[in-house]
Amino acid sequence: MSKRLCVTTSRQIMDSQKLHPGATGELSGLLNELIVAAKIISAEVNMAGLADILGQSGKTNVQGEDVQKLDVFSNATIKRRMEQCGYICVMASEEEDGIIPVLDGYEGKYTLAFDPLDGSSNIDVNVSIGTIFSVHRKISDGKQGTEADLLQKGSKQVAAGYIIYGSSTVLVYTTGDGVHGFTLDPSVGEFFLSHPDIQIPERSKYYSVNEAYTNYWFDSTRKYIEHIKKIDRDSGRPYSLRYIGSLVADFHRNLISGGIFLYPRDRKSTDKPEGKLRLLYEAAPMAMIVKEAGGVALTDDGRDILEIEPTDLHQRVPLIIGSRKDVEEAMQFFLT
Ligand code: FBP
């Protein structure tokens, strides 16, 4: 079908807005602004090797991680665009310690939490990386938003999504009306609908975990991984290991082909007793997407990621996410 006939993001967003009588168009406006930021980041990532933007920036972020130049670029691009879009009252970013206010006079009714460039260990080696975002409605009084507006449960998200900068740039998002994927056509600078109404297969053949940490794992993790590596053709085992080291890329593969991704607690880092991944701008948005696509997202002690009440902008959470039957099976090992 000629791409001229394909559905663009703005068309899709407008169509889903019609499903919500009384919608003001502000959420659509917010998503369209975020998409422009994603196009700018995609262009920079695609030619990073030529633009002297690879490597470390010399800065360290609130997580104690070395910040890559592209992290800085992506963070600034999203901040600059969204702080004056008129739809947002406050932001939080993986790269910033505290809350990020918007410009006076540009306060809107939504919040934005984002990981500007996920998979930073893969930035310089041309492996897929991505931007992850989460949107909530403002709950506080006053014009400017507060930390309380950001510290809302995942089940209160009004939109969540990611943009993966890989062999092609793909946007996947949900506003609660299904999960849809769009591929960027750089020749016209437009995202076109390429993966309508994504449903994750309920049983998978892939597992994603960093096996290098086996010796730090608690027994439950070890027993589950041993279980899926056992030879049992009837149940499709052993599963194949696929681990890219970028949550956004590992999650995207599993969303399309089925799979289970695990980043449970382990004994490796005493300073990260709750695992590595962040609740607000990594686990919660992926949990909203996977649930909308028929999958499941839980902690390694069986709590629903979407029902965890956040207490800190950068709090970490153990994450087990993916195909429903696999996550349910994994729980038989983690909850005994
Ligand atoms: P950031 O790159 O945004 O800090 O994200 C963390 C992350 O890179 C995830 O994308 C990925 O799943 C995980 O860390 C990889 O961690 P590890 O190297 O411990 O396996």
Side-chain angles (χ1 to χ4, degrees), residues 61 65 71 94-95 115 117-121 210 213 243 245-248 250 261 263 268 276-278 282:
N61 67 17
E65 296 160 343
D71 274 322
E94 183 199 35
E95 299 305 332
D115 180 350
L117 214 51
D118 173 66
S120 30
S121 61
N210 191 334
Y213 302 152
Y243 192 71
S246 296
L247 168 66
V248 72
D250 283 311
F261 173 95
Y263 209 115
K268 180 165 155 291
K276 180 178 184 181
L277 302 177
R278 280 50 58 118
E282 290 176 326

PDB file of all heavy atoms in Angstrom, residues 61 65 71 94-95 115 117-121 210 213 243 245-248 250 261 263 268 276-278 282, ligand 1:
ATOM      1  N   ASN A  61      25.404  11.187  36.479  1.00  0.00           N
ATOM      2  CA  ASN A  61      24.013  11.542  36.825  1.00  0.00           C
ATOM      3  C   ASN A  61      23.650  11.081  38.240  1.00  0.00           C
ATOM      4  O   ASN A  61      24.461  10.482  38.943  1.00  0.00           O
ATOM      5  CB  ASN A  61      23.038  10.957  35.792  1.00  0.00           C
ATOM      6  CG  ASN A  61      23.002   9.431  35.837  1.00  0.00           C
ATOM      7  OD1 ASN A  61      23.449   8.810  36.806  1.00  0.00           O
ATOM      8  ND2 ASN A  61      22.470   8.832  34.781  1.00  0.00           N
ATOM      9  N   GLU A  65      25.852   7.175  37.370  1.00  0.00           N
ATOM     10  CA  GLU A  65      26.330   6.627  36.087  1.00  0.00           C
ATOM     11  C   GLU A  65      27.031   7.719  35.269  1.00  0.00           C
ATOM     12  O   GLU A  65      26.655   8.889  35.341  1.00  0.00           O
ATOM     13  CB  GLU A  65      25.151   6.088  35.265  1.00  0.00           C
ATOM     14  CG  GLU A  65      24.434   4.903  35.913  1.00  0.00           C
ATOM     15  CD  GLU A  65      23.016   4.721  35.357  1.00  0.00           C
ATOM     16  OE1 GLU A  65      22.484   5.685  34.739  1.00  0.00           O
ATOM     17  OE2 GLU A  65      22.428   3.663  35.576  1.00  0.00           O
ATOM     18  N   ASP A  71      23.164  11.129  25.734  1.00  0.00           N
ATOM     19  CA  ASP A  71      22.209  11.250  26.853  1.00  0.00           C
ATOM     20  C   ASP A  71      21.893  12.723  27.088  1.00  0.00           C
ATOM     21  O   ASP A  71      20.737  13.122  27.220  1.00  0.00           O
ATOM     22  CB  ASP A  71      22.853  10.706  28.154  1.00  0.00           C
ATOM     23  CG  ASP A  71      22.717   9.209  28.351  1.00  0.00           C
ATOM     24  OD1 ASP A  71      21.660   8.672  28.006  1.00  0.00           O
ATOM     25  OD2 ASP A  71      23.680   8.595  28.847  1.00  0.00           O
ATOM     26  N   GLU A  94      15.552  10.712  33.899  1.00  0.00           N
ATOM     27  CA  GLU A  94      16.594   9.859  34.482  1.00  0.00           C
ATOM     28  C   GLU A  94      17.871  10.655  34.702  1.00  0.00           C
ATOM     29  O   GLU A  94      18.653  10.384  35.602  1.00  0.00           O
ATOM     30  CB  GLU A  94      16.898   8.662  33.587  1.00  0.00           C
ATOM     31  CG  GLU A  94      17.922   7.728  34.204  1.00  0.00           C
ATOM     32  CD  GLU A  94      18.589   6.796  33.206  1.00  0.00           C
ATOM     33  OE1 GLU A  94      18.811   7.219  32.063  1.00  0.00           O
ATOM     34  OE2 GLU A  94      18.907   5.675  33.603  1.00  0.00           O
ATOM     35  N   GLU A  95      18.072  11.672  33.861  1.00  0.00           N
ATOM     36  CA  GLU A  95      19.332  12.425  33.906  1.00  0.00           C
ATOM     37  C   GLU A  95      19.304  13.603  34.874  1.00  0.00           C
ATOM     38  O   GLU A  95      20.291  14.331  34.999  1.00  0.00           O
ATOM     39  CB  GLU A  95      19.680  12.934  32.495  1.00  0.00           C
ATOM     40  CG  GLU A  95      19.886  11.837  31.473  1.00  0.00           C
ATOM     41  CD  GLU A  95      20.944  10.815  31.899  1.00  0.00           C
ATOM     42  OE1 GLU A  95      21.862  11.197  32.670  1.00  0.00           O
ATOM     43  OE2 GLU A  95      20.814   9.631  31.536  1.00  0.00           O
ATOM     44  N   ASP A 115      12.933   8.594  30.294  1.00  0.00           N
ATOM     45  CA  ASP A 115      14.323   8.149  30.213  1.00  0.00           C
ATOM     46  C   ASP A 115      14.774   8.587  28.833  1.00  0.00           C
ATOM     47  O   ASP A 115      14.387   7.984  27.838  1.00  0.00           O
ATOM     48  CB  ASP A 115      14.409   6.619  30.363  1.00  0.00           C
ATOM     49  CG  ASP A 115      15.857   6.109  30.294  1.00  0.00           C
ATOM     50  OD1 ASP A 115      16.747   6.905  29.942  1.00  0.00           O
ATOM     51  OD2 ASP A 115      16.072   4.908  30.578  1.00  0.00           O
ATOM     52  N   LEU A 117      17.450   8.441  27.008  1.00  0.00           N
ATOM     53  CA  LEU A 117      18.143   7.485  26.137  1.00  0.00           C
ATOM     54  C   LEU A 117      18.477   6.241  26.939  1.00  0.00           C
ATOM     55  O   LEU A 117      19.468   6.180  27.659  1.00  0.00           O
ATOM     56  CB  LEU A 117      19.397   8.104  25.539  1.00  0.00           C
ATOM     57  CG  LEU A 117      19.768   7.648  24.115  1.00  0.00           C
ATOM     58  CD1 LEU A 117      18.594   7.767  23.174  1.00  0.00           C
ATOM     59  CD2 LEU A 117      20.960   8.425  23.602  1.00  0.00           C
ATOM     60  N   ASP A 118      17.612   5.260  26.806  1.00  0.00           N
ATOM     61  CA  ASP A 118      17.769   4.013  27.551  1.00  0.00           C
ATOM     62  C   ASP A 118      18.740   3.087  26.833  1.00  0.00           C
ATOM     63  O   ASP A 118      18.737   3.016  25.617  1.00  0.00           O
ATOM     64  CB  ASP A 118      16.406   3.330  27.678  1.00  0.00           C
ATOM     65  CG  ASP A 118      16.512   1.947  28.282  1.00  0.00           C
ATOM     66  OD1 ASP A 118      16.880   1.860  29.463  1.00  0.00           O
ATOM     67  OD2 ASP A 118      16.334   0.961  27.535  1.00  0.00           O
ATOM     68  N   GLY A 119      19.560   2.379  27.626  1.00  0.00           N
ATOM     69  CA  GLY A 119      20.520   1.460  27.012  1.00  0.00           C
ATOM     70  C   GLY A 119      21.844   2.143  26.765  1.00  0.00           C
ATOM     71  O   GLY A 119      22.533   1.866  25.791  1.00  0.00           O
ATOM     72  N   SER A 120      22.200   3.045  27.696  1.00  0.00           N
ATOM     73  CA  SER A 120      23.367   3.890  27.437  1.00  0.00           C
ATOM     74  C   SER A 120      24.643   3.093  27.204  1.00  0.00           C
ATOM     75  O   SER A 120      25.532   3.553  26.506  1.00  0.00           O
ATOM     76  CB  SER A 120      23.578   4.898  28.561  1.00  0.00           C
ATOM     77  OG  SER A 120      23.120   4.384  29.766  1.00  0.00           O
ATOM     78  N   SER A 121      24.718   1.865  27.694  1.00  0.00           N
ATOM     79  CA  SER A 121      25.964   1.097  27.467  1.00  0.00           C
ATOM     80  C   SER A 121      26.075   0.688  26.003  1.00  0.00           C
ATOM     81  O   SER A 121      27.124   0.240  25.556  1.00  0.00           O
ATOM     82  CB  SER A 121      25.953  -0.155  28.356  1.00  0.00           C
ATOM     83  OG  SER A 121      24.835  -0.962  27.996  1.00  0.00           O
ATOM     84  N   ASN A 210      20.401 -10.960  32.319  1.00  0.00           N
ATOM     85  CA  ASN A 210      21.864 -10.891  32.241  1.00  0.00           C
ATOM     86  C   ASN A 210      22.443 -12.065  33.020  1.00  0.00           C
ATOM     87  O   ASN A 210      22.578 -12.024  34.248  1.00  0.00           O
ATOM     88  CB  ASN A 210      22.380  -9.565  32.793  1.00  0.00           C
ATOM     89  CG  ASN A 210      23.858  -9.377  32.469  1.00  0.00           C
ATOM     90  OD1 ASN A 210      24.573 -10.366  32.295  1.00  0.00           O
ATOM     91  ND2 ASN A 210      24.297  -8.140  32.387  1.00  0.00           N
ATOM     92  N   TYR A 213      25.165 -12.472  35.908  1.00  0.00           N
ATOM     93  CA  TYR A 213      24.918 -12.265  37.332  1.00  0.00           C
ATOM     94  C   TYR A 213      24.469 -13.546  38.041  1.00  0.00           C
ATOM     95  O   TYR A 213      24.052 -13.513  39.206  1.00  0.00           O
ATOM     96  CB  TYR A 213      23.856 -11.174  37.529  1.00  0.00           C
ATOM     97  CG  TYR A 213      24.217  -9.847  36.906  1.00  0.00           C
ATOM     98  CD1 TYR A 213      23.231  -8.976  36.472  1.00  0.00           C
ATOM     99  CD2 TYR A 213      25.540  -9.473  36.736  1.00  0.00           C
ATOM    100  CE1 TYR A 213      23.553  -7.758  35.881  1.00  0.00           C
ATOM    101  CE2 TYR A 213      25.879  -8.262  36.143  1.00  0.00           C
ATOM    102  CZ  TYR A 213      24.883  -7.416  35.730  1.00  0.00           C
ATOM    103  OH  TYR A 213      25.206  -6.219  35.131  1.00  0.00           O
ATOM    104  N   TYR A 243      19.591 -11.207  24.929  1.00  0.00           N
ATOM    105  CA  TYR A 243      19.790 -10.115  25.877  1.00  0.00           C
ATOM    106  C   TYR A 243      20.634  -9.041  25.206  1.00  0.00           C
ATOM    107  O   TYR A 243      21.815  -9.247  24.937  1.00  0.00           O
ATOM    108  CB  TYR A 243      20.474 -10.595  27.164  1.00  0.00           C
ATOM    109  CG  TYR A 243      20.436  -9.557  28.268  1.00  0.00           C
ATOM    110  CD1 TYR A 243      19.233  -9.261  28.915  1.00  0.00           C
ATOM    111  CD2 TYR A 243      21.574  -8.877  28.670  1.00  0.00           C
ATOM    112  CE1 TYR A 243      19.162  -8.307  29.927  1.00  0.00           C
ATOM    113  CE2 TYR A 243      21.517  -7.917  29.675  1.00  0.00           C
ATOM    114  CZ  TYR A 243      20.310  -7.645  30.311  1.00  0.00           C
ATOM    115  OH  TYR A 243      20.245  -6.708  31.316  1.00  0.00           O
ATOM    116  N   GLY A 245      20.737  -5.768  26.381  1.00  0.00           N
ATOM    117  CA  GLY A 245      21.294  -4.864  27.382  1.00  0.00           C
ATOM    118  C   GLY A 245      20.702  -3.462  27.286  1.00  0.00           C
ATOM    119  O   GLY A 245      21.141  -2.554  27.965  1.00  0.00           O
ATOM    120  N   SER A 246      19.697  -3.307  26.407  1.00  0.00           N
ATOM    121  CA  SER A 246      18.870  -2.097  26.370  1.00  0.00           C
ATOM    122  C   SER A 246      17.455  -2.568  26.669  1.00  0.00           C
ATOM    123  O   SER A 246      16.875  -3.308  25.865  1.00  0.00           O
ATOM    124  CB  SER A 246      18.861  -1.441  24.998  1.00  0.00           C
ATOM    125  OG  SER A 246      20.111  -0.975  24.608  1.00  0.00           O
ATOM    126  N   LEU A 247      16.892  -2.111  27.798  1.00  0.00           N
ATOM    127  CA  LEU A 247      15.529  -2.537  28.149  1.00  0.00           C
ATOM    128  C   LEU A 247      14.577  -2.314  26.982  1.00  0.00           C
ATOM    129  O   LEU A 247      13.796  -3.195  26.612  1.00  0.00           O
ATOM    130  CB  LEU A 247      15.032  -1.753  29.375  1.00  0.00           C
ATOM    131  CG  LEU A 247      13.546  -1.872  29.706  1.00  0.00           C
ATOM    132  CD1 LEU A 247      13.187  -3.283  30.135  1.00  0.00           C
ATOM    133  CD2 LEU A 247      13.156  -0.854  30.783  1.00  0.00           C
ATOM    134  N   VAL A 248      14.658  -1.131  26.357  1.00  0.00           N
ATOM    135  CA  VAL A 248      13.707  -0.784  25.295  1.00  0.00           C
ATOM    136  C   VAL A 248      13.796  -1.780  24.143  1.00  0.00           C
ATOM    137  O   VAL A 248      12.776  -2.189  23.584  1.00  0.00           O
ATOM    138  CB  VAL A 248      13.959   0.677  24.840  1.00  0.00           C
ATOM    139  CG1 VAL A 248      15.232   0.781  24.050  1.00  0.00           C
ATOM    140  CG2 VAL A 248      12.776   1.281  24.156  1.00  0.00           C
ATOM    141  N   ASP A 250      15.147  -5.030  24.289  1.00  0.00           N
ATOM    142  CA  ASP A 250      14.746  -6.366  24.743  1.00  0.00           C
ATOM    143  C   ASP A 250      13.225  -6.434  24.897  1.00  0.00           C
ATOM    144  O   ASP A 250      12.591  -7.420  24.512  1.00  0.00           O
ATOM    145  CB  ASP A 250      15.436  -6.701  26.073  1.00  0.00           C
ATOM    146  CG  ASP A 250      16.903  -7.086  25.888  1.00  0.00           C
ATOM    147  OD1 ASP A 250      17.167  -7.938  25.020  1.00  0.00           O
ATOM    148  OD2 ASP A 250      17.773  -6.511  26.582  1.00  0.00           O
ATOM    149  N   PHE A 261      11.255 -10.911  30.075  1.00  0.00           N
ATOM    150  CA  PHE A 261      12.436 -10.143  30.462  1.00  0.00           C
ATOM    151  C   PHE A 261      12.474 -10.106  31.981  1.00  0.00           C
ATOM    152  O   PHE A 261      11.450  -9.859  32.633  1.00  0.00           O
ATOM    153  CB  PHE A 261      12.347  -8.718  29.918  1.00  0.00           C
ATOM    154  CG  PHE A 261      13.449  -7.800  30.401  1.00  0.00           C
ATOM    155  CD1 PHE A 261      14.594  -7.604  29.630  1.00  0.00           C
ATOM    156  CD2 PHE A 261      13.333  -7.112  31.611  1.00  0.00           C
ATOM    157  CE1 PHE A 261      15.605  -6.751  30.075  1.00  0.00           C
ATOM    158  CE2 PHE A 261      14.347  -6.270  32.065  1.00  0.00           C
ATOM    159  CZ  PHE A 261      15.489  -6.106  31.289  1.00  0.00           C
ATOM    160  N   TYR A 263      14.736  -8.599  35.336  1.00  0.00           N
ATOM    161  CA  TYR A 263      15.804  -7.903  36.046  1.00  0.00           C
ATOM    162  C   TYR A 263      15.405  -7.921  37.514  1.00  0.00           C
ATOM    163  O   TYR A 263      14.900  -6.959  38.072  1.00  0.00           O
ATOM    164  CB  TYR A 263      16.028  -6.482  35.556  1.00  0.00           C
ATOM    165  CG  TYR A 263      17.477  -6.059  35.748  1.00  0.00           C
ATOM    166  CD1 TYR A 263      18.302  -5.794  34.663  1.00  0.00           C
ATOM    167  CD2 TYR A 263      18.035  -6.007  37.033  1.00  0.00           C
ATOM    168  CE1 TYR A 263      19.629  -5.449  34.842  1.00  0.00           C
ATOM    169  CE2 TYR A 263      19.366  -5.686  37.212  1.00  0.00           C
ATOM    170  CZ  TYR A 263      20.165  -5.399  36.118  1.00  0.00           C
ATOM    171  OH  TYR A 263      21.487  -5.071  36.289  1.00  0.00           O
ATOM    172  N   LYS A 268      24.219  -8.621  43.870  1.00  0.00           N
ATOM    173  CA  LYS A 268      25.364  -7.956  43.227  1.00  0.00           C
ATOM    174  C   LYS A 268      25.641  -6.593  43.838  1.00  0.00           C
ATOM    175  O   LYS A 268      26.737  -6.301  44.278  1.00  0.00           O
ATOM    176  CB  LYS A 268      25.090  -7.798  41.723  1.00  0.00           C
ATOM    177  CG  LYS A 268      26.189  -7.134  40.931  1.00  0.00           C
ATOM    178  CD  LYS A 268      25.963  -7.373  39.443  1.00  0.00           C
ATOM    179  CE  LYS A 268      26.592  -6.313  38.601  1.00  0.00           C
ATOM    180  NZ  LYS A 268      25.946  -5.005  38.713  1.00  0.00           N
ATOM    181  N   LYS A 276      17.933  -2.848  39.386  1.00  0.00           N
ATOM    182  CA  LYS A 276      18.538  -1.706  38.680  1.00  0.00           C
ATOM    183  C   LYS A 276      17.522  -0.766  38.043  1.00  0.00           C
ATOM    184  O   LYS A 276      17.737   0.445  37.983  1.00  0.00           O
ATOM    185  CB  LYS A 276      19.484  -2.219  37.588  1.00  0.00           C
ATOM    186  CG  LYS A 276      20.153  -1.125  36.791  1.00  0.00           C
ATOM    187  CD  LYS A 276      21.115  -1.663  35.755  1.00  0.00           C
ATOM    188  CE  LYS A 276      21.837  -0.533  35.036  1.00  0.00           C
ATOM    189  NZ  LYS A 276      22.770  -1.008  34.007  1.00  0.00           N
ATOM    190  N   LEU A 277      16.425  -1.306  37.557  1.00  0.00           N
ATOM    191  CA  LEU A 277      15.538  -0.496  36.711  1.00  0.00           C
ATOM    192  C   LEU A 277      14.659   0.445  37.526  1.00  0.00           C
ATOM    193  O   LEU A 277      14.251   0.126  38.631  1.00  0.00           O
ATOM    194  CB  LEU A 277      14.713  -1.411  35.804  1.00  0.00           C
ATOM    195  CG  LEU A 277      15.571  -2.302  34.902  1.00  0.00           C
ATOM    196  CD1 LEU A 277      14.708  -3.239  34.091  1.00  0.00           C
ATOM    197  CD2 LEU A 277      16.463  -1.462  33.993  1.00  0.00           C
ATOM    198  N   ARG A 278      14.350   1.614  36.931  1.00  0.00           N
ATOM    199  CA  ARG A 278      13.614   2.658  37.641  1.00  0.00           C
ATOM    200  C   ARG A 278      12.119   2.518  37.411  1.00  0.00           C
ATOM    201  O   ARG A 278      11.676   2.284  36.284  1.00  0.00           O
ATOM    202  CB  ARG A 278      14.072   4.044  37.194  1.00  0.00           C
ATOM    203  CG  ARG A 278      15.366   4.586  37.812  1.00  0.00           C
ATOM    204  CD  ARG A 278      16.563   3.725  37.794  1.00  0.00           C
ATOM    205  NE  ARG A 278      16.969   3.306  36.471  1.00  0.00           N
ATOM    206  CZ  ARG A 278      18.156   3.633  35.923  1.00  0.00           C
ATOM    207  NH1 ARG A 278      18.970   4.413  36.581  1.00  0.00           N
ATOM    208  NH2 ARG A 278      18.491   3.192  34.742  1.00  0.00           N
ATOM    209  N   GLU A 282      10.883   3.685  33.510  1.00  0.00           N
ATOM    210  CA  GLU A 282      11.247   2.438  32.828  1.00  0.00           C
ATOM    211  C   GLU A 282      10.163   1.376  33.070  1.00  0.00           C
ATOM    212  O   GLU A 282       9.427   1.003  32.160  1.00  0.00           O
ATOM    213  CB  GLU A 282      12.631   1.950  33.270  1.00  0.00           C
ATOM    214  CG  GLU A 282      13.778   2.825  32.760  1.00  0.00           C
ATOM    215  CD  GLU A 282      15.151   2.419  33.265  1.00  0.00           C
ATOM    216  OE1 GLU A 282      15.271   1.939  34.427  1.00  0.00           O
ATOM    217  OE2 GLU A 282      16.140   2.601  32.507  1.00  0.00           O
TER     218      GLU A 282
HETATM  219  P1  FBP B   1      19.940   3.224  31.249  1.00  0.00           P
HETATM  220  O1  FBP B   1      20.866   2.853  30.172  1.00  0.00           O
HETATM  221  O2  FBP B   1      18.888   4.161  30.840  1.00  0.00           O
HETATM  222  O3  FBP B   1      20.646   3.641  32.509  1.00  0.00           O
HETATM  223  O4  FBP B   1      19.088   1.878  31.581  1.00  0.00           O
HETATM  224  C1  FBP B   1      19.465   0.872  32.237  1.00  0.00           C
HETATM  225  C2  FBP B   1      19.820  -0.314  31.354  1.00  0.00           C
HETATM  226  O5  FBP B   1      20.778   0.028  30.403  1.00  0.00           O
HETATM  227  C3  FBP B   1      18.624  -0.982  30.674  1.00  0.00           C
HETATM  228  O6  FBP B   1      18.325  -0.451  29.440  1.00  0.00           O
HETATM  229  C4  FBP B   1      19.096  -2.427  30.547  1.00  0.00           C
HETATM  230  O7  FBP B   1      18.030  -3.350  30.515  1.00  0.00           O
HETATM  231  C5  FBP B   1      19.957  -2.603  31.782  1.00  0.00           C
HETATM  232  O8  FBP B   1      20.345  -1.304  32.212  1.00  0.00           O
HETATM  233  C6  FBP B   1      21.182  -3.405  31.510  1.00  0.00           C
HETATM  234  O9  FBP B   1      21.809  -3.613  32.748  1.00  0.00           O
HETATM  235  P2  FBP B   1      22.992  -4.672  32.904  1.00  0.00           P
HETATM  236  O10 FBP B   1      24.159  -4.130  32.144  1.00  0.00           O
HETATM  237  O11 FBP B   1      23.194  -4.745  34.389  1.00  0.00           O
HETATM  238  O12 FBP B   1      22.504  -5.968  32.351  1.00  0.00           O
END
